[in-house]
Amino acid sequence: MKPKIFIDGEHGTTGLQIRTRMTGRADVELLSIPESERRNAALREELLNSADIAILCLPDDAAREAVAMVAGNNRLRVIDTSTAHRTDPDWTYGFAEMDRDQSAKIAAARLVANPGCYPTGAIGLLRPLRMAGILPEDYPVTVNAVSGYTGGGKQLIAQMEDPAHPDPLDTPHFLYGLPLKHKHVPEMQIHGLLSRAPLFSPSVGRFPQGMIVQVPLHLADLAANASLGSIHEALADHYAGQDIVEVVRLKDSAALARIDATELADTDRMKLYVFGTAGAPHVNLVALLDNLGKGASGAAVQNMDLMLKG
C-alpha cells in the first residue's frame, strides 16, 4: 500500500510548490482538501489522522493547532514548515546536511521541523565553522540577506505583482525586520551553535524566487591562524560526499564578478562561497539558494523522502 501524504495548507505558496514537486509521483498517495473546505476543522482533522505523513504549510498558530489535532496518533509522522517547532528539542531539525548523522535522524523521526529559508543559508555557513573550532561561540555574528518576494506568501506576492492591490509595492528592493526581532533569530542561534543572538538584517528584492545570505567575518577575531583557505577547507570537509550543498572552489569564487540571487531559482540546491583576498583581514561567507526550494518546499520533500526510506 502506498504511503498517504496530506499537505495541510496545500493552497498556500509553500504547499503549492510541494504539490508541484510531487506531480507524477506514483510511489505515494496524496490526500487533498478542496480550497473551499480549508477552514473545515473536522475534515482537516480527519485527513491529518488518515495520513502516514502530514506536511504542515501553515502559520505558526495553525500549525500548533494541527499538531494538537493528532496528539494521540503515534502512527502519524509530521513535517512542520512553520516557525512553531524549529527550536523545540522534541522535534528533529530538518536540515539533512547540517551534521553527518542528521539525515539518519530525520529518517527515524516522527516529528520534523523544516528549516527557515534564511536560517538554512546562515546555519549552513556557521555551523561547520563552529564544529571545526574556527568560529568562537560568542562571536558577534551578523547575517545580511535578500530574498525573493514569494517568501512573504500570497499577501506580499499580490502587493508586488498586482498594481490594483490596495497597498501595492513598486519598490525594487526593501529592508524589513527593522526592530531586529525577526522570528528566525532563535533558530539561527541554536542550530548555528552560537551563545549570542546574531544581528540579522533581512530584505526583499523584486524577483519571485532566490536568495543570498551573507555572513562577514573578521579573521583576527576567529581561532588562531584562521584564513580564507582554512575556512573554505572546513566547509568543504563538512559537506564532502553529498550533492545538494555545494562548496564552490576558491579559484572559481575568485573568478566571479557578481552573484545573482536568482541563479538557483526553481532548484532544491544550495551553493556556499568564501570570498576575500589571501592575507587580507576579512572574509565574506555567502549562501545562494531558492527561498522556496532548499529554503522551504524542496527541503520538505527531501525530508519526506528520508522519512519514507527510514
Side-chain angles (χ1 to χ4, degrees):
M1 183 179 294
K2 297 178 183 178
K4 297 178 181 180
I5 311 297
F6 176 52
I7 305 168
D8 193 2
E10 66 179 290
H11 302 289
T13 306
T14 300
L16 287 170
Q17 288 259 342
I18 292 172
R19 283 197 67 91
T20 297
R21 283 165 171 76
M22 297 180 68
T23 299
R25 287 188 57 158
D27 60 324
V28 296
E29 177 185 347
L30 279 179
L31 306 180
S32 185
I33 189 169
E35 187 169 10
S36 61
E37 295 288 338
R38 69 187 187 279
R39 299 188 188 281
N40 184 331
L43 180 56
R44 282 181 57 223
E45 184 170 358
E46 178 185 342
L47 290 169
L48 281 165
N49 283 286
S50 298
D52 295 295
I53 296 179
I55 305 177
L56 309 182
C57 302
L58 304 164
D60 288 8
D61 288 344
R64 294 185 186 99
E65 177 186 76
V67 172
M69 288 179 176
V70 299
N73 186 348
N74 293 323
R75 179 189 59 81
L76 174 68
R77 306 173 78 186
V78 180
I79 299 169
D80 180 13
T81 70
S82 82
T83 314
H85 300 102
R86 291 177 187 161
T87 60
D88 188 329
D90 293 332
W91 288 65
T92 299
Y93 195 59
F95 185 175
E97 297 79 22
M98 185 174 76
D99 292 328
R100 293 285 183 188
D101 60 350
Q102 196 66 18
S103 60
K105 290 180 180 178
I106 294 166
R110 193 176 75 82
L111 303 173
V112 173
N114 217 55
C117 51
Y118 293 119
T120 296
I123 294 163
L125 294 166
L126 292 165
R127 192 176 177 102
L129 303 188
R130 284 286 302 115
M131 295 180 71
I134 294 174
L135 184 75
E137 68 174 356
D138 62 350
Y139 186 91
V141 169
T142 61
V143 179
N144 309 300
V146 59
S147 173
Y149 60 78
T150 52
K154 288 187 173 181
Q155 170 68 16
L156 183 57
I157 293 170
Q159 287 180 279
M160 296 291 276
E161 295 183 352
D162 182 6
H165 190 277
D167 183 23
L169 293 172
D170 60 5
T171 179
H173 178 266
F174 66 85
L175 188 68
Y176 73 105
L178 305 182
L180 301 180
K181 292 184 178 182
H182 198 283
K183 64 181 182 179
H184 286 327
V185 170
E187 179 183 357
M188 291 182 188
Q189 180 178 353
I190 288 175
H191 299 294
L193 306 178
L194 304 172
S195 63
R196 299 171 67 179
L199 192 162
F200 175 46
S201 183
S203 61
V204 171
R206 184 167 286 282
F207 53 90
Q209 292 175 226
M211 174 169 283
I212 293 174
V213 180
Q214 300 182 72
V215 179
L217 298 174
H218 293 265
L219 291 176
D221 296 326
L222 304 182
N225 301 318
S227 66
L228 186 76
S230 67
I231 288 171
H232 182 272
E233 183 180 6
L235 289 171
D237 287 348
H238 191 89
Y239 296 107
Q242 57 78 38
D243 57 2
I244 290 178
V245 180
E246 173 191 356
V247 180
V248 178
R249 295 184 303 175
L250 281 176
K251 68 176 184 178
D252 294 335
S253 297
L256 295 173
R258 62 189 60 84
I259 295 288
D260 178 359
T262 67
E263 179 186 337
L264 294 183
D266 297 315
T267 80
D268 296 335
R269 297 167 45 234
M270 180 164 68
K271 287 185 177 181
L272 304 181
Y273 300 85
V274 181
F275 291 112
T277 300
H282 307 118
V283 298
N284 191 27
L285 309 180
V286 174
L288 185 69
L289 64 155
D290 181 350
N291 59 291
L292 292 182
K294 183 60 173 166
S297 306
V301 174
Q302 179 188 7
N303 288 328
M304 180 198 74
D305 285 336
L306 287 169
M307 294 165 78
L308 290 174
K309 294 174 183 176

